[in-house]
Amino acid sequence: MKNPLSDRINSLPVSQTLAMAAKARELRAEGKDIIGLSLGEPDFNTPDFIKDAAIEAINQNYNSYSPVDGYADLKDAICVKFKRDNDLVYKPNQIVVSTGAKQSIANIAQVLLNPGDEVLLPAPYWVSYSAIAILCEATYVEIPSSIENDFKITPEQLEASITPKTKMIFFNSPNNPSGTIYSEAEYRALAAVLEKHPQIFILSDEIYEHINYETKPFSFAAIESMYDRTITVNGLAKAFAMTGWRIGYIGAPEWIAKACTKMQGQITSGTNCIAQRAAITAVLAPVSKIQFMVDEFKTRRDIIIGLLREIDGFKVNVPEGAFYVFPDVSAFFGKTINGFKIETASDFSLFILERANVATVTGEAFGTPNCIRISYAASELQIREAIKRIKEALS
């Protein structure tokens, strides 16, 4: 029988991060002691002050459909947050609240991209960016980088990648999977290129903004010439340990926000009402209320970098944000270790899953085939044990 599924779904790749997590669960079900360092999810509980706000909303009987673009007082709170943290001035009619930042990104792509348009993806990039472009029948164009330049693209690379078909570019700082943070000067240099190409819109994914160590992230929309062409994406999943609450939001030119609301109205309608009420408390809270998580992530980052640098063949830089390391493991390509032939980062990731019982994600999923992503959103004990196992498996 011919496959009855649509070309759309058949063309869509499976998320490699979710696939590795599923494989790890499968091996655990078989009784194997798998340490999961593959998912991008904080291992903290949602802070009590946010949970208390959700409980209060339940007691106040918030149970009806919410406005498609979010409660008015939540949008007001997001405007306050944008001004406080990013020096961005948005009005409520420029804000759309969605069921996670992933839906925010999908909405933006759906309302701006036509078949045949090109989307520039500075690599490494989050796995869903390319899939979302495919769903829009657009073409994604990777702009490569390497660990030697801390996974940042240059203005010259950006200029060389632009064609008459280029419609969007996706920036993500702090970056998943590399933890890279672009400085204000670096973003302004890239903006100088984009100023010459007014047909290009910028999606600035800032979901990890509060998880930074040495460098405070800079919002691309804060560049005056870019404000009217930039859609700023953020959410609560990472910094507030609220991955399952599914709250994302955008600040955008009003006409784009209206289009995203129209799109969302035919897909999911308004976001969960209880999560939205709790989100008001979260976005208005001072960053100091979640600093304990950031401090713990920094401690873990320093530990895992030190341990990985003790393994011959791992090339490691120091990520400035998020909770991942993205080592270059190409030194192992072409080698056979204990009967296991390694040709690619996918092979290497599978090797340490099968031989060390540690789950990671291949860099091929992020457009950077020499690397693997290792999450340190895990306990110090798990991190130390995982790297010990990897070192032993490679010896």
Side-chain angles (χ1 to χ4, degrees), residues 90-381:
Y90 289 114
K91 297 176 182 178
N93 60 10
Q94 295 177 273
I95 306 298
V96 180
V97 180
S98 300
T99 306
K102 183 180 283 190
Q103 185 182 25
S104 299
I105 294 166
N107 283 343
I108 295 160
Q110 290 281 357
V111 304
L112 285 177
L113 293 172
N114 285 312
D117 285 342
E118 292 180 353
V119 180
L120 301 181
L121 300 182
Y125 52 82
W126 182 46
V127 293
S128 290
Y129 291 165
S130 56
I132 288 170
I134 290 169
L135 274 176
C136 296
E137 299 180 66
T139 300
Y140 67 91
V141 177
E142 296 175 349
I143 308 178
S145 67
S146 69
I147 199 167
E148 284 76 19
N149 61 0
D150 286 326
F151 301 108
K152 295 178 181 180
I153 66 167
T154 66
E156 293 76 18
Q157 284 181 290
L158 175 56
E159 183 70 74
S161 301
I162 294 172
T163 75
K165 293 183 178 181
T166 306
K167 183 70 174 289
M168 293 187 74
I169 183 168
F170 288 15
F171 287 124
N172 175 213
S173 175
N175 177 264
N176 172 11
S178 69
T180 290
I181 296 179
Y182 280 88
S183 69
E184 178 179 350
E186 289 165 337
Y187 260 172
R188 288 190 179 277
L190 295 171
V193 175
L194 293 169
E195 285 170 0
K196 297 182 287 185
H197 303 276
Q199 82 279 10
I200 300 174
F201 291 89
I202 300 92
L203 187 153
S204 181
D205 180 353
E206 303 179 6
I207 190 73
Y208 291 93
E209 70 165 333
H210 292 314
I211 306 176
N212 64 84
Y213 310 121
E214 286 81 20
T215 305
K216 186 179 185 298
F218 177 77
S219 289
F220 203 85
I223 302 170
E224 186 176 357
S225 62
M226 295 290 107
Y227 178 83
D228 288 333
R229 295 161 53 189
T230 299
I231 306 94
T232 305
V233 178
N234 214 318
L236 305 181
K238 309 300 183 179
F240 293 89
M242 295 175 67
T243 52
W245 295 66
R246 310 310 301 139
I247 293 286
Y249 56 85
I250 66 169
E254 182 182 355
W255 63 276
I256 295 178
K258 283 185 175 179
C260 288
T261 300
K262 181 180 179 182
M263 172 65 68
Q264 187 164 294
Q266 297 293 359
I267 305 295
T268 59
S269 296
T271 301
N272 177 281
C273 59
I274 304 302
Q276 285 195 65
R277 303 314 298 172
I280 296 171
T281 296
V283 297
L284 291 178
V287 178
S288 59
K289 297 202 77 167
I290 56 171
Q291 188 62 41
F292 72 96
M293 290 188 273
V294 179
D295 292 342
E296 179 61 25
F297 283 136
K298 184 177 185 297
T299 297
R300 296 172 184 179
R301 179 202 67 170
D302 294 344
I303 289 170
I304 198 168
I305 288 172
L307 293 172
L308 288 173
R309 282 177 170 167
E310 294 176 1
I311 304 177
D312 290 339
F314 272 76
K315 189 185 294 183
V316 184
N317 71 331
V318 180
E320 296 177 293
F323 38 69
Y324 312 104
V325 285
F326 200 53
D328 184 314
V329 294
S330 59
F332 297 98
F333 297 173
K335 294 184 177 180
T336 299
I337 303 174
N338 296 324
F340 194 111
K341 189 170 180 60
I342 297 171
E343 297 287 0
T344 65
S346 294
D347 292 341
F348 187 85
S349 191
L350 184 62
F351 169 79
I352 61 176
L353 176 63
E354 293 186 355
R355 301 299 175 88
N357 288 341
V358 176
T360 60
V361 186
T362 172
E364 294 172 53
F366 305 98
T368 307
N370 285 347
C371 300
I372 62 169
R373 190 188 78 173
I374 305 174
S375 169
Y376 51 88
S379 71
E380 180 180 336
L381 184 66

Side-chain angles (χ1 to χ4, degrees), residues 377-394:
S379 71
E380 180 180 336
L381 184 66
Q382 287 178 307
I383 290 168
R384 289 187 180 279
E385 175 62 22
I387 306 307
K388 175 175 172 283
R389 292 182 186 182
I390 293 172
K391 188 174 184 179
E392 290 174 350
L394 291 170

